[in-house]
Amino acid sequence: MNNFFLAIKDVLVQETVQSKINLFKTTYENFLNNKYNFDSTSTIEVFEKPSYHKICTIVKANQIKAKRNLHEQSGIAALLHSVAHIEYSAIDLALDACYRFQNLPKEYYIDWMEVASDEVRHFELITNLMQKYNISYGELEVHQGLFDASMKTLELIPRMALIPRYMEANGLDSNALIISKLKQLKNRDDIIKLFELILEEEIDHVRKGDIWYKYACANTKNFTCNYFDIVNKVHPNSFKSNKNINIDARLKAGFTQEEILILTNQK
């Protein structure tokens, strides 16, 4: 019987889109059919480069040129490329959550393999839509912020706090804002429908992160589990004023009313 963690690592290090997607689908099928053992591996690699480093031109986040005039086809193309990159990065984030954190309940791996499967489907839906706007994934510059954040959080509590509960939760806010802008434009129904689907499913991804964040906190002795302190420790100055908090989505994803008040600067 093959080892689950080594199989996931094989998917993680694939350097082309199609090889990653194809190998993931095979691996996921094997996982669902209980074809893996979950013996801990002797080493867990800290990756130096994201898997897409040969697909995309990577620059610093502040070097990416703004091309987001949604009234123009080029602006829509840039938006779709940006979201495609987030989804492709999110495939690796879900897989790394499986690979890196071993000796956890089986339900943990079920959750994050489900997330990875969703992210693959989202990526494929976006890249199919991108064809309408004459752009392919890898044509525009990207940054590796999500990858860097994942490699800075090599323990379960900070990982669940920073990636699903902070970065992906921020996506719930920004996605809703983008949808509202797109609804003011003509002939964007196909994009709106796709973004609404992604938003709804991403709520569940953040909720899964919330579950395992709280699980890890509850199972750590003498630990004060303060979400804001944990995130700021690994990602300083994270909680700036945000008037566009998607309150309903965050509540569905497990955020408390007290956390919402802090996020909206009401406490």
Side-chain angles (χ1 to χ4, degrees):
M1 185 176 282
N2 293 326
N3 182 271
F4 172 73
F5 303 111
L6 295 179
I8 294 301
K9 182 182 178 182
D10 284 345
V11 183
L12 269 168
V13 299
Q14 295 298 309
E15 294 182 340
T16 70
V17 169
Q18 209 53 55
S19 64
K20 182 182 292 291
I21 289 175
N22 290 345
L23 186 56
F24 170 75
K25 289 180 178 179
T26 300
T27 303
Y28 192 35
E29 183 177 356
N30 289 338
F31 172 77
L32 293 175
N33 289 313
N34 299 311
K35 292 187 177 180
Y36 293 118
N37 69 64
F38 289 81
D39 298 337
S40 299
T41 59
S42 56
T43 59
I44 302 174
E45 185 174 351
V46 178
F47 302 108
E48 295 183 359
K49 295 180 179 179
S51 67
Y52 49 80
H53 73 279
K54 292 185 178 179
I55 303 171
C56 303
T57 300
I58 301 170
V59 299
K60 293 181 179 179
N62 60 9
Q63 293 178 323
I64 294 180
K65 300 171 185 176
K67 302 175 183 177
R68 294 289 186 85
N69 185 339
L70 299 184
H71 292 275
E72 299 177 359
Q73 179 151 321
S74 61
I76 294 292
L79 171 64
L80 291 174
H81 190 280
S82 174
V83 176
H85 181 60
I86 291 170
E87 297 298 332
Y88 195 76
S89 300
I91 297 169
D92 282 353
L93 292 176
L95 293 174
D96 192 76
C98 288
Y99 166 65
R100 189 160 309 284
F101 305 112
Q102 304 180 11
N103 300 308
L104 288 169
K106 179 73 176 291
E107 291 78 10
Y108 173 87
Y109 304 107
I110 292 172
D111 276 354
W112 292 109
M113 289 295 278
E114 286 178 351
V115 171
S117 180
D118 285 348
E119 305 294 16
V120 167
R121 180 165 44 81
H122 293 170
F123 177 80
E124 291 181 316
L125 288 168
I126 294 167
T127 51
N128 286 339
L129 185 56
M130 286 166 64
Q131 295 175 19
K132 178 179 174 181
Y133 295 89
N134 300 314
I135 189 168
S136 299
Y137 179 55
E139 287 188 27
L140 299 181
E141 294 175 337
V142 302
H143 67 80
Q144 60 179 56
L146 287 171
F147 170 79
D148 290 342
S150 68
M151 291 302 103
K152 282 168 54 179
T153 49
L154 304 179
E155 296 179 352
L156 186 59
I157 291 175
R159 171 64 66 87
M160 293 295 112
L162 182 63
I163 300 297
R165 249 184 150 256
Y166 176 72
M167 291 188 162
E168 292 186 89
N170 286 349
L172 302 180
D173 306 331
S174 59
N175 195 337
L177 184 62
I178 291 168
I179 289 170
S180 68
K181 291 181 178 179
L182 289 170
K183 286 182 175 179
Q184 299 172 28
L185 307 176
K186 295 180 180 179
N187 303 318
R188 302 300 185 215
D189 290 349
D190 50 355
I191 303 174
I192 292 168
K193 185 177 179 180
L194 177 53
F195 280 21
E196 287 178 336
L197 169 70
I198 291 173
L199 174 58
E200 188 61 32
E201 295 189 350
E202 293 291 346
I203 292 172
D204 184 61
H205 299 177
V206 178
R207 185 186 64 81
K208 285 180 167 68
D210 177 73
I211 288 169
W212 294 106
Y213 163 74
K214 290 171 179 172
Y215 168 90
C217 286
N219 284 276
T220 304
K221 293 182 179 179
N222 302 317
F223 180 71
T224 302
C225 199
N226 185 300
Y227 166 67
F228 298 96
D229 289 346
I230 293 165
V231 172
N232 274 319
K233 185 175 181 179
V234 293
H235 204 262
N237 302 314
S238 292
F239 298 99
K240 299 176 182 178
S241 177
N242 185 351
K243 297 180 181 179
N244 298 302
I245 294 292
N246 189 341
I247 295 174
D248 288 344
R250 283 179 177 263
L251 289 172
K252 289 178 183 177
F255 280 79
T256 66
Q257 289 284 2
E258 183 178 14
E259 288 173 329
I260 296 294
L261 289 174
I262 294 171
L263 288 167
T264 55
N265 296 311
Q266 296 178 46
K267 185 174 180 178

